[in-house]
Amino acid sequence: MRAVVLMLGDPRYQRVWGELAETVRTGQPGAERALGSSLWDYTEQDPQFGAVFHASMSRLTTLDWPTVAAVYDFTRFSRIVDVGGGHGQLLALMLTAAPAAEGVLFERAAMAGAAEHLLREAGVLQRCRIEAGSFFEFVPTDGDLYVLRRVLHDFDDDQAVAILTTLRSHMPDGATLLLVEC
């Protein structure tokens, strides 16, 4: 839990939570007031904070995994697209559970290097490709399983609808969407 505790106790992260009352009142994300940008942009602007944040997200993925694996069979899919998959921890776990599947990590460009390292360490990089982009604009079109883990809750209703609309318009007929949320 070290990575998660470091993130939760980080003064920059705490400043965002300190904006909760104003966020509830206005609907404006607290990160924009506390940090001067979206949380996602801030993780790129401040590499130290980004490292803490992304390490905690990878750890939370590992904590989520036993529950997901217990109720979902990934072996029936040939190409798994992890949308907004961070450093690739979830994709690595899904590909380990489905050894015949290939994977696509779809994430912001700034994440590619760390994702490549994690996927290599997990022994699945040779079955992966990493694509950069914004899920508000497009997602890869060749998956048969699309996974969003802890993504939609970070956005307001209109943005969540936009993400899901983008997914639907780019997913092939018959593809499956798996949402893993809090």
Side-chain angles (χ1 to χ4, degrees):
M1 293 300 295
R2 180 181 188 277
V4 177
V5 170
L6 287 174
M7 180 193 66
L8 293 175
D10 190 292
R12 293 159 290 196
Y13 193 73
Q14 287 296 310
R15 284 198 317 262
V16 173
W17 279 103
E19 296 292 331
L20 181 60
E22 188 66 15
T23 295
V24 170
R25 242 187 321 281
T26 67
Q28 181 190 16
E32 292 174 6
R33 283 188 309 283
L35 305 173
S37 67
S38 74
L39 186 63
W40 314 116
D41 289 341
Y42 192 78
T43 63
E44 292 175 20
Q45 296 163 9
D46 183 336
Q48 180 192 24
F49 177 77
V52 169
F53 180 82
H54 294 301
S56 71
M57 292 300 106
S58 290
R59 180 62 186 140
L60 289 172
T61 298
T62 304
L63 293 172
D64 288 346
W65 178 247
T67 302
V68 174
V71 298
Y72 209 80
D73 176 17
F74 293 93
T75 61
R76 61 190 178 106
F77 299 102
S78 61
R79 178 155 298 126
I80 300 169
V81 181
D82 189 357
V83 179
H87 287 169
Q89 181 68 34
L90 179 61
L91 183 59
L93 292 165
M94 291 184 292
L95 291 177
T96 299
E102 295 178 346
V104 180
L105 180 68
F106 185 71
E107 184 52 87
R108 296 165 62 130
M111 305 294 278
E116 186 174 314
H117 175 76
L118 190 150
L119 294 166
R120 181 180 299 108
E121 289 292 313
V124 297
L125 181 61
Q126 70 281 4
R127 294 190 284 137
C128 293
R129 73 176 196 268
I130 300 169
E131 284 194 36
S134 168
F135 47 53
F136 289 106
E137 298 170 9
F138 71 95
V139 295
T141 59
D142 60 342
D144 56 351
L145 174 65
Y146 290 75
V147 180
L148 285 171
R149 181 203 155 270
R150 294 187 184 222
V151 170
L152 292 179
H153 75 272
D154 288 327
F155 297 94
D156 67 29
D157 290 350
D158 292 339
Q159 292 172 315
V161 168
I163 294 166
L164 292 171
T165 300
T166 299
L167 278 163
R168 183 61 195 114
S169 68
H170 289 84
M171 290 170 55
D173 289 339
T176 298
L177 174 60
L178 174 62
L179 299 176
V180 181
E181 282 290 347
C182 304

